[in-house]
């Protein structure tokens, strides 16, 4: 299956076969990651594929591998990581491999060689025990008209994006020139304390789906003076 079709089939996998993936597959994954598109090529990031023993999570299930992701702490770094690694999530799922973004976990007994990079998040990886894919009517997502100032089928790839606790914090507005502005829902103090950085990853994930569906035309940029939208943070602008 191609990456775009995978958007409408993928789901988070929380039950894995303990057998590790072969070295050839792991090398293919590394190759894909190294060539994924970035939102901000000026932000350094890195990753390591770690075994179960090197991960501590709050989850009761385990996967044979985890991608531990690190980044320089710069403006847009979380959104950039969401964007890069959602392409990886789609690639893995398109190949029949299960994945789940995990906010509630971190590496243990592993130190990133680059001290200037901070740990961001992990993603579990392995062969799923049950079905990998779901049907389109099994997605629990907000309606298209609730994630944008006007209903727009072109935003469907973002509508289906995964997010921390399925919060779906994205909101899109249309500009007269055909471009879009992206906003992130602010929420209350508690929500921003729990989901703040994860929701930044989420908007990057939604942008990755829009990029995968519009590979040739996708352009991302930040405006110096974006329009304010009550209850939201400006997260960037794009063309598709
Ligand atoms: C940034 C982020 C953090 C997440 N953290 C967890 C987690 O700690 N544990 C978990 O089981 N799922 C986690 N998820 C998976 C979401 O719960 C899941 O993507 C969402 O409920 C939508 O379901 P779907 O991916 O099956 O479509 C996370 C997802 C994202 C994007």
């Amino acid at each position: 299956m191609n990456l775009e079709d995978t958007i409408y089939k993928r789901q988070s996998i929380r039950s894995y076969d303990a057998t590790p993936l072969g070295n050839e597959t792991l090398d293919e994954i590394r190759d894909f990651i190294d060539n994924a598109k970035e939102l901000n090529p000026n932000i350094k990031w890195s990753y390591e594929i770690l075994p179960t023993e090197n991960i501590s999570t709050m989850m009761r299930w385990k996967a044979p591998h985890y991608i531990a992701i690190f980044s320089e702490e710069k403006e847009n770094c979380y959104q950039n990581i969401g964007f890069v690694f959602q392409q990886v999530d789609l690639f893995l799922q398109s190949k029949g491999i299960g994945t789940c973004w995990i906010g509630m976990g971190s590496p243990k007994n592993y130190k990133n060689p680059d001290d200037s990079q901070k740990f961001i998040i992990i993603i579990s990886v392995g062969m799923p025990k049950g079905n990998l894919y779901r049907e389109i009517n099994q997605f629990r997502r907000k309606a298209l008209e609730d994630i944008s100032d006007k209903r727009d089928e072109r935003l469907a790839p973002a509508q289906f994006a995964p997010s921390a606790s399925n919060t779906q914090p994205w909101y899109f507005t249309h500009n007269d020139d055909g471009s879009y502005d992206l906003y992130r829902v602010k929420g209350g103090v508690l929500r921003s304390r729990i989901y703040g950085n994860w929701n930044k990853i989420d908007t990057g994930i939604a942008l990755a789906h829009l990029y995968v569906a519009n590979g040739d035309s996708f352009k991302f940029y930040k405006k110096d003076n974006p329009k304010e939208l009550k209850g939201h943070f400006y997260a960037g602008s794009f063309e598709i």
Side-chain angles (χ1 to χ4, degrees):
M1 202 185 318
N2 68 28
L3 266 52
E4 184 176 1
D5 292 343
T6 309
I7 290 174
Y8 306 100
K9 293 294 241 178
R10 65 156 297 288
Q11 62 180 332
S12 293
I13 294 299
R14 300 184 177 88
S15 174
Y16 293 90
D17 189 327
T19 318
L21 301 175
N23 282 336
E24 207 174 294
T25 308
L26 292 173
D27 280 344
E28 227 182 299
I29 298 170
R30 291 189 186 98
D31 191 54
F32 183 90
I33 297 175
D34 296 343
N35 290 294
K37 187 177 168 76
E38 299 162 303
L39 279 183
N40 304 84
N42 62 318
I43 307 178
K44 266 206 279 180
W45 53 269
S46 59
Y47 69 94
E48 188 68 40
I49 303 179
L50 296 172
T52 316
E53 308 82 79
N54 281 108
I55 295 293
S56 112
T57 74
M58 308 267 282
M59 307 297 110
R60 274 181 303 189
W61 46 270
K62 288 188 186 333
H65 308 279
Y66 293 82
I67 307 177
I69 306 163
F70 304 82
S71 173
E72 267 186 312
E73 216 172 351
K74 276 192 177 167
E75 156 90 27
N76 222 49
C77 66
Y78 287 93
Q79 193 160 249
N80 188 50
I81 290 300
F83 184 80
V84 171
F85 281 89
Q86 185 57 19
Q87 295 166 60
V88 179
D89 171 279
L90 291 173
F91 172 70
L92 291 169
Q93 296 233 357
S94 77
K95 290 178 62 69
I97 299 169
T99 56
C100 186
W101 286 88
I102 304 175
M104 309 275 261
S106 55
K108 67 175 182 209
N109 304 325
Y110 174 80
K111 208 177 149 315
N112 191 280
D114 183 347
D115 273 348
S116 69
Q117 294 186 30
K118 177 188 160 179
F119 166 68
I120 304 290
I121 195 159
I122 55 176
I123 297 177
S124 59
V125 176
M127 294 313 286
K129 260 200 179 140
N131 277 347
L132 173 56
Y133 301 128
R134 58 153 73 108
E135 297 304 322
I136 193 95
N137 59 8
Q138 293 172 317
F139 277 85
R140 288 187 303 115
R141 293 295 190 269
K142 290 180 184 171
L144 258 189
E145 35 281 274
D146 295 335
I147 60 164
S148 172
D149 56 351
K150 65 173 185 236
R151 187 187 158 82
D152 181 350
E153 289 289 342
R154 299 198 72 200
L155 294 171
Q159 179 195 13
F160 285 89
S163 54
S165 304
N166 211 18
T167 41
Q168 305 165 69
W170 39 76
Y171 190 81
F172 301 89
T173 62
H174 293 74
N175 297 315
D176 293 341
D177 62 0
S179 66
Y180 297 79
D181 291 338
L182 165 62
Y183 292 87
R184 189 176 73 250
V185 175
K186 267 187 190 162
V189 180
L190 194 64
R191 171 164 166 167
S192 61
R193 204 173 293 159
I194 300 174
Y195 291 105
N197 288 337
W198 292 340
N199 277 168
K200 294 178 192 165
I201 296 177
D202 296 338
T203 51
I205 290 175
L207 287 168
H209 280 201
L210 291 166
Y211 162 61
V212 163
N214 302 277
D216 294 336
S217 52
F218 182 87
K219 272 195 199 77
F220 175 80
Y221 50 93
K222 283 229 166 154
K223 291 179 175 169
D224 292 333
N225 293 303
K227 264 191 228 151
E228 283 197 21
L229 184 65
K230 197 166 175 254
H232 294 75
F233 296 108
Y234 171 71
S237 301
F238 61 91
E239 290 169 20
I240 47 176

